[in-house]
Amino acid sequence: MTDFTIPDLKIKPREGGYARGQEGLARILTAALSLLVEQGSKALTLRRIAAECGLKAGNIAYYFSSKEELLRELLDAIISSYEEAFDAIYHAPDTTAEERLERIVMLILEDIKTKQTTRIFPELWAMSNHDPFVHERVDHIYRRARVVLNDLVAEINPALPADERETLALFMSASMEGMTIFAGHDKPWIGKMPAIERIAVKSFLYAIRAMRPGEISGVVQPDSAPQPA
């Protein structure tokens, strides 16, 4: 288990914003998050969000010019909370890169077990299939989330070129995110998550150490790769 937890939202204060305005911004984004978790993306209308936080629909326009702008800030607040937790682990003193990778993996998989994460991200995946704006924003937040994995791969196997590190980080991220529908909150295999965590840590570390430059891109034949220590 990891000692780090991920807060619901990390809302960045707007430049020149006053305290009451910041409170209103937080109320709106928290209400939008609650609707997304409890009722799904169909509930993310400005009218429903306003009702959820006790405002008139017209008041939302004071903070956001459009639903897209609101969604952009909501997704930014969600991913910023992850970045804060990842950053704390990444800069933990007196730890090896392998130890920090293990903590990141454990944090992500433990977080997948929460109701909020299990509900939010599949909703965003579905929205991104039909909405170009959501598609772009979801890709953006996942790219930001993979930065720490990329950096840790570079520490553990500095010989790998940048594009191969990025591909390996993508594989690791997708492997973990895919567990949401199987072992997330209230899912059939949630009881297997401790075993899945152990498999993920060991297999990711093995893959990172074993890969030779060019192997991921197919330049080096896999059977010529050295075995990890």
Side-chain angles (χ1 to χ4, degrees), residues 142 145-151 153 162-176 204 208 216:
Y142 274 115
R146 289 196 300 270
V147 167
V148 68
L149 293 176
N150 198 327
D151 290 346
V153 170
D163 63 323
E164 295 191 331
R165 292 198 305 268
E166 185 175 24
T167 302
L168 188 50
L170 174 64
F171 169 78
M172 293 161 58
S173 176
S175 299
M176 291 186 283
F204 291 161
I208 295 168
I216 292 174

Side-chain angles (χ1 to χ4, degrees), residues 86-133:
F86 293 166
D87 188 66
I89 293 174
Y90 185 75
H91 291 99
D94 303 318
T95 56
T96 66
E98 288 84 357
E99 289 170 337
R100 284 175 277 138
L101 178 72
E102 179 176 357
R103 293 184 189 182
I104 291 288
V105 169
M106 296 287 285
L107 178 65
I108 292 172
L109 290 173
E110 283 294 309
D111 179 66
I112 282 173
K113 292 162 52 179
T114 66
K115 179 179 179 180
Q116 176 170 305
T117 294
T118 297
R119 295 278 182 86
I120 286 176
F121 289 97
E123 289 287 337
L124 295 176
W125 301 339
M127 291 169 68
S128 70
N129 285 331
H130 307 285
D131 187 325
F133 172 79

Side-chain angles (χ1 to χ4, degrees), residues 1 102 105-106 109-110 113 183 189-202:
M1 297 288 290
E102 179 176 357
V105 169
M106 296 287 285
L109 290 173
E110 283 294 309
K113 292 162 52 179
W189 296 94
I190 190 170
K192 291 292 186 179
M193 188 60 91
I196 292 167
E197 290 168 354
R198 290 190 290 271
I199 293 169
V201 170
K202 189 168 184 177

